Amino acid sequence: MSSQWDDYPLSEFFDEMLSTPGNARKPSQKLYNYLSKLSPGSVASRKAAAELAVREMGISFTVYTDEGNIDRAWPFDIIPRVIAKKQWDKTEAGLKQRLQALNMFIDDLYNKQNIIKDGIVPEYIIKQSSNYRKECEGMSPAYGAWAHVCGTDLVRDKDGEFYALEDNLRVPSGVSYMLENRSIMKRVLPEVFKKVDIAPIGDYPAELFETLSSLSPRQISKPVIVVLTPGIYNSAYFEHAFLAQKMGVELVQGNDLVVESDDCVYMKTIAGLERVDVIYRRIDDMFLDPDAFIPDSMLGVKGLMRAWRSGNVALANAPGAGVADDKVVYAFVPQIIKYYLDQDPIISNVETFLCYDDKQREYVLNNLDKLVVKPANESGGYGMLIGPHSTKKERDTFTDLIKANPRNYIAQPTLALSTAPTYIGKDNAPEPRHLDLRPFVLQGKKSFVTTGGLTRVALKKGSLVVNSSQGGGSKDTWIVDVSGGTKE
Amino acid sequence: MLSRVAERLYWTARYLERVSSTATLITSYENLLYDLPKNVELSWYNLIIINDQEQEFNELYSSRSERNVIKYLIGDRDNGSSIMHSLHFIRENVRTARDVIPEKAWELICELSIYAQDNLDQGIKRRSRLEFLENIVKGCSQINGLIQSTMPRDAGWEFMLIGCNLERADMTSRYLEAGLAAILQVKDENTINSQQIIWGSVLRSLDATQYYLRATKTPVKGQAVLPYLLRDSCFPKSITYCVGSIIQSCQKLPEPELALEKLKKVESKLAKKIDYEDLGDALLEKLNKLQIMLTSIHFIISESWFIADH
């Protein structure tokens, strides 16, 4: 039987499913056998079922356009991305190591700054960082953890190894989509779940709840935890509501909270004020507290920083944690791990050039057409130059930008992001598309890593931009154990 | 429970009730128009009057045609009470109260919104309208049923009950007023027949015909329909029942004293004797005042629990 899979092109990139034409990698074998036997009609009906499930489950994200905000359905591809458990176990250890070191680094920066005194990282890291908060100096949150929830973006290079691309330590999002993707897949491909030993992922909300509980300043059996959202116009609002529901905690907005003269935070309930112990805040630092940061912020809570500094409420992530969520700091993560933990990094960084260094800048400016240039403090794929896809005019603009503010830019070689088969177009032919992976790492009293993470896929042919706001989609991510027996 | 969440639940229930009552109203009005003698002039525009929306409607449409009225009531995004708009608000309110609404209810709400959006044209066309409206009512019943069978009976539940009962009381009083106004308008020789048709339609709009007949053992006439829908102690859409339920709900909420005091006043005014034999302008005026009193209940609830200045 001829299948659409016969035409699936392999290239110089690492393909997640196929090693050679018609030959699936071991963890993907059963899935591949199943998919390659599906008729086009059957694929189409499963795809339609997935789209309907997305709409019915109300899985959406908000996009800002000139015409107003649109609540868009979550774009989803029904071919899962499979990773061998053995490789994942190693990655998981690497992620814990990374976050542990980064938290020690943040704690050090706001206190003794030994790492600077010892000459490991340059002092300008603090000076140039738009995410360094003077207001946090001298603070030392519980367990030395500043970033309690981290989303680290991993990519797989030609060699099939995972590399860390960036650490999102401010308000990383996507975990709800990771969980919902799994629910959709169970509806759409139930047969495969019977055949393959897929590790479950549903424990995340419980682990997040545990992590948040461990941060409570009051040692009580049931601390009051809330999720603080900027509101329905935030692109990740769906996730805020989702997590509050799955943890069984209140979803609050800034005006639901108040800080009283006792420097404690309270929420306004139908029975009056109730004290809040832990705030999982999904609002950026600058909007948290009009008294401390942007004065006309309507999203935050007046006096929140005062309450936090007095130790009466825990904020996750802690204000100022974003200082390590900086592309310049990123370049130093291997040294940071070595310095605090005396270990070699388990997950490698992508090669990174710092524009503040004369020699490295020289190289960057001469090779702009081959490199990806990123500003130190942006997220979401904005403000970047993707060299090979750029115009002369764009490169000139970046030359000026880099020269004017070299410390604010880093450059990396264009990555050979791995691909995975994705159903494309009306005839649903599987075609390779580039993807990355965002696992979520928790650190409070204990550490935890999601089993797999959110796989984001660039739906446009050849594109490397996986962000949902810019034409990216997602896939379910399966961690599959191929060492043991099989489930039949 | 957060004050804001309590308010969202209250509005969710109100809008849910509004969607199904608007759908039921259009259906029963359609029936009414087919039944009335041809010389009786009753227009679709009355549905706009019932909801006090003359001004908004006239700003949007110059003709008071059936199509425009239906469009306005079902699909118009500018009309705060239209089915589409109410569904949108249910979704928005639930979105911001998802942590307390049963998870599956959220999915049903999404489903119903998708159905309404995809089939809006069917709702406006006369040929397919009834089926569309029937499905809307079914969707609401499904959601209500799910909430009813899964939601814990805590404060959130009471706020939903309050919202639902207040919306019902409001609708019932509007329909009674509209029925009476129509009776006063219809000046044909066949008055008795028209009376029966009009009051029958009021009962149908509230799904009340069956129980009215069982409870009153009286043929359909204003002198009996009015007291039944105003005063019956068992029928869930009678105004007395709704206000009584609201009071019961409030008794279960924290610090209810102020609200209860005010609500008891409303209740005692409601209990005052009314002369139903003379179906004239004086009674119409009374119904009008009742309507205003019911509107005030919203503010009583709001100042006690929603306005979060403690």
Side-chain angles (χ1 to χ4, degrees):
Chain A
M1 184 180 117
S2 98
S3 147
Q4 282 183 307
W5 288 86
D6 296 343
D7 303 328
Y8 185 79
L10 289 171
S11 61
E12 78 268 31
F13 304 110
F14 180 87
D15 192 84
E16 301 274 338
M17 187 180 279
L18 293 163
S19 49
T20 54
N23 286 314
R25 296 179 194 282
K26 202 173 173 203
S28 295
Q29 238 154 35
K30 286 179 182 167
L31 175 67
Y32 176 74
N33 291 343
Y34 178 82
L35 291 175
S36 57
K37 282 179 199 125
L38 282 183
S39 68
S42 189
V43 171
S45 71
R46 277 153 213 272
K47 212 174 151 181
E51 276 158 24
L52 185 67
V54 167
R55 288 179 76 195
E56 288 187 349
M57 289 159 80
I59 309 170
S60 63
F61 67 103
T62 313
V63 183
Y64 307 93
T65 65
D66 295 338
E67 292 87 49
N69 303 328
I70 307 166
D71 208 20
R72 241 191 237 169
W74 178 247
F76 178 73
D77 179 65
I78 61 170
I79 306 180
R81 181 252 194 106
V82 185
I83 300 167
K85 182 170 182 297
K86 206 174 147 206
Q87 184 174 22
W88 183 251
D89 289 344
K90 185 184 147 206
T91 310
E92 183 181 317
L95 289 165
K96 283 185 181 168
Q97 176 196 51
R98 213 174 156 89
L99 185 58
Q100 200 186 351
L102 283 170
N103 271 317
M104 293 170 88
F105 171 68
I106 303 168
D107 205 49
D108 189 19
L109 277 194
Y110 287 116
N111 289 283
K112 295 192 176 133
Q113 304 194 336
N114 287 331
I115 197 164
I116 294 173
K117 289 176 193 151
D118 289 341
I120 310 291
V121 301
E123 192 183 9
Y124 89 84
I125 269 194
I126 295 176
K127 296 217 170 104
Q128 63 90 39
S129 173
S130 58
N131 291 311
Y132 182 81
R133 309 263 171 266
K134 267 197 108 41
E135 297 81 353
C136 300
E137 285 174 2
M139 287 295 290
S140 202
Y143 316 110
W146 289 71
H148 311 96
V149 182
C150 167
T152 295
D153 291 343
L154 300 176
V155 295
R156 236 173 173 179
D157 201 2
K158 280 183 188 137
D159 54 10
E161 283 301 313
F162 279 112
Y163 290 81
L165 187 58
E166 61 182 58
D167 305 284
N168 297 282
L169 302 173
R170 284 172 282 181
V171 284
S173 61
V175 75
S176 60
Y177 300 112
M178 171 190 94
L179 295 167
E180 292 288 57
N181 284 352
R182 178 60 55 87
S183 328
I184 300 169
M185 284 312 290
K186 285 182 181 164
R187 291 190 191 192
V188 175
L189 291 181
E191 308 92 321
V192 188
F193 279 83
K194 281 198 193 131
K195 292 190 181 128
V196 185
D197 199 1
I198 307 161
I201 56 171
D203 49 353
Y204 180 79
E207 293 287 343
L208 177 61
F209 183 82
E210 282 289 309
T211 303
L212 295 172
S213 300
S214 76
L215 307 176
S216 171
R218 280 196 296 179
Q219 295 306 311
I220 50 177
S221 65
K222 300 227 182 297
V224 176
I225 299 169
V226 300
V227 177
L228 174 60
T229 173
I232 54 167
Y233 297 112
N234 186 274
S235 57
Y237 178 78
F238 169 84
E239 174 156 312
H240 309 159
F242 179 93
L243 289 174
Q245 186 188 47
K246 296 287 175 195
M247 289 193 288
V249 305
E250 303 281 355
L251 177 66
V252 305
Q253 289 172 221
N255 55 10
D256 293 322
L257 299 179
V258 61
V259 178
E260 295 281 275
S261 54
D262 59 358
D263 291 352
C264 291
V265 183
Y266 296 87
M267 60 180 177
K268 302 169 187 172
T269 78
I270 52 168
L273 296 179
E274 186 179 347
R275 178 152 171 205
V276 174
D277 299 290
V278 182
I279 300 177
Y280 178 34
R281 52 97 173 197
R282 296 294 297 257
I283 294 181
D284 282 329
D285 280 1
M286 296 313 282
F287 297 96
L288 268 183
D289 178 357
D291 276 356
F293 304 117
I294 298 175
D296 54 355
S297 164
M298 305 287 285
L299 305 174
V301 187
K302 231 170 130 58
L304 189 55
M305 281 298 284
R306 197 177 80 228
W308 179 69
R309 287 199 58 100
S310 311
N312 292 329
V313 71
L315 293 175
N317 292 348
V323 68
D325 179 345
D326 174 304
K327 310 282 189 298
V328 179
V329 171
Y330 164 85
F332 288 95
V333 172
Q335 288 93 311
I336 289 173
I337 292 173
K338 188 86 196 151
Y339 181 76
Y340 293 108
L341 303 174
D342 194 24
Q343 293 169 2
D344 290 322
I346 302 171
I347 303 173
S348 304
N349 260 11
V350 173
E351 187 183 15
T352 303
F353 304 101
L354 293 167
C355 293
Y356 93 104
D357 180 283
D358 294 342
K359 257 176 129 176
Q360 297 183 39
R361 182 174 63 249
E362 192 63 30
Y363 175 81
V364 171
L365 291 174
N366 288 330
N367 293 281
L368 277 181
D369 57 334
K370 297 185 194 77
L371 299 170
V372 177
V373 182
K374 297 174 178 177
N377 295 312
E378 289 283 338
S379 65
Y382 290 99
M384 283 176 25
L385 175 82
I386 298 180
H389 297 206
S390 65
T391 61
K392 171 98 179 30
K393 204 175 147 207
E394 285 166 344
R395 289 195 293 275
D396 289 347
T397 311
F398 268 80
T399 303
D400 294 343
L401 284 170
I402 292 170
K403 282 183 176 161
N405 190 2
R407 291 178 168 186
N408 194 39
Y409 290 93
I410 58 128
Q412 291 165 337
T414 326
L415 289 167
L417 248 58
S418 62
T419 60
T422 304
Y423 287 128
I424 298 291
K426 279 217 169 70
D427 58 348
N428 294 319
E431 288 183 29
R433 287 293 181 270
H434 292 292
L435 35 74
D436 77 352
L437 179 66
R438 177 178 284 186
F440 295 85
V441 192
L442 301 176
Q443 193 186 332
K445 197 174 178 182
K446 306 183 306 183
S447 291
F448 171 82
V449 181
T450 50
T451 310
L454 175 66
T455 290
R456 301 184 298 175
V457 50
L459 295 173
K460 248 188 276 166
K461 192 172 184 170
S463 166
L464 298 172
V465 183
V466 295
N467 306 78
S468 54
S469 53
Q470 299 183 57
S474 77
K475 285 168 168 290
D476 191 15
T477 310
W478 291 359
I479 304 299
V480 171
D481 191 354
V482 284
S483 60
T486 48
K487 194 156 88 164
E488 286 300 343
Chain B
M1 162 159 294
L2 286 175
S3 299
R4 183 179 50 78
V5 171
E7 185 170 4
R8 297 278 151 84
L9 290 174
Y10 162 88
W11 280 114
T12 300
R14 278 199 82 156
Y15 279 119
L16 253 177
E17 189 60 28
R18 196 171 292 177
V19 169
S20 70
S21 64
T22 305
T24 313
L25 175 68
I26 297 171
T27 310
S28 80
Y29 203 75
E30 180 131 22
N31 265 305
L32 169 71
L33 291 189
Y34 296 152
D35 286 347
L36 278 178
K38 291 283 166 284
N39 59 341
V40 175
E41 278 183 37
L42 210 57
S43 109
W44 278 96
Y45 188 67
N46 277 334
L47 296 185
I48 303 296
I49 301 174
I50 291 176
N51 288 310
D52 289 326
Q53 291 171 321
E54 294 100 311
Q55 198 185 336
E56 291 95 327
F57 179 88
N58 291 322
E59 274 166 17
L60 289 167
Y61 301 99
S62 51
S63 149
R64 298 173 174 186
S65 65
E66 170 181 347
R67 194 182 157 78
N68 284 350
V69 170
I70 294 292
K71 247 172 88 176
Y72 184 75
L73 291 176
I74 295 183
D76 207 307
R77 286 268 175 180
D78 294 319
N79 167 14
S81 299
S82 77
I83 289 179
M84 293 309 290
H85 197 263
S86 301
L87 281 172
H88 173 73
F89 269 103
I90 292 170
R91 206 168 169 266
E92 287 306 298
N93 277 301
V94 173
R95 234 149 80 84
T96 42
R98 269 187 72 190
D99 43 342
V100 286
I101 292 264
E103 212 170 320
K104 281 186 188 149
W106 163 248
E107 287 182 28
L108 289 180
I109 287 161
C110 289
E111 261 181 61
L112 185 60
S113 304
I114 293 168
Y115 170 79
Q117 222 145 33
D118 292 352
N119 295 282
L120 183 56
D121 287 346
Q122 309 303 310
I124 291 167
K125 280 186 209 141
R126 186 186 283 168
R127 193 170 44 80
S128 45
R129 189 188 297 150
L130 288 182
E131 191 193 335
F132 173 83
L133 295 171
E134 224 168 74
N135 284 330
I136 294 287
V137 174
K138 259 187 215 161
C140 291
S141 308
Q142 209 176 19
I143 296 165
N144 276 324
L146 189 95
I147 291 174
Q148 164 99 15
S149 58
T150 52
M151 213 169 147
R153 273 32 178 183
D154 59 6
W157 167 255
E158 300 303 334
F159 281 109
M160 291 202 85
L161 274 186
I162 292 172
C164 172
N165 279 308
L166 185 51
E167 188 69 21
R168 282 182 175 174
D170 181 80
M171 283 293 169
T172 302
S173 91
R174 283 177 195 280
Y175 297 175
L176 286 176
E177 207 183 321
L180 187 56
I183 295 289
L184 298 177
Q185 248 179 49
V186 175
K187 298 212 167 84
D188 66 340
E189 291 124 41
N190 217 349
T191 315
I192 296 176
N193 192 13
S194 297
Q195 274 238 18
Q196 206 169 48
I197 292 166
I198 289 170
W199 290 117
S201 168
V202 168
L203 288 172
R204 249 197 323 276
S205 311
L206 297 165
D207 295 317
T209 319
Q210 181 187 354
Y211 294 108
Y212 163 84
L213 291 172
R214 281 181 68 88
T216 63
K217 314 256 189 276
T218 313
V220 176
K221 58 175 185 176
Q223 286 81 356
V225 170
L226 275 159
Y228 180 72
L229 291 178
L230 278 171
R231 296 278 167 81
D232 189 83
S233 60
C234 306
F235 184 64
K237 288 179 181 172
S238 93
I239 293 176
T240 297
Y241 179 89
C242 291
V243 172
S245 292
I246 292 172
I247 291 176
Q248 277 175 24
S249 289
C250 289
Q251 279 163 344
K252 294 180 193 156
L253 294 174
E255 295 168 49
E257 295 75 18
L258 183 72
L260 283 175
E261 191 191 315
K262 292 183 176 173
L263 287 170
K264 292 258 162 77
K265 273 185 200 155
V266 172
E267 196 180 36
S268 66
K269 275 188 197 157
L270 203 62
K272 278 195 187 138
K273 206 172 165 337
I274 296 176
D275 178 12
Y276 297 107
E277 289 311 310
D278 179 21
L279 300 180
D281 288 321
L283 187 55
L284 192 60
E285 178 60 27
K286 271 198 180 121
L287 288 176
N288 200 5
K289 277 193 182 139
L290 170 68
Q291 176 72 40
I292 294 165
M293 206 158 68
L294 291 173
T295 309
S296 77
I297 294 182
H298 167 73
F299 297 101
I300 297 174
I301 304 294
S302 173
E303 71 177 352
S304 285
W305 291 288
F306 301 158
I307 298 168
D309 282 326
H310 294 275

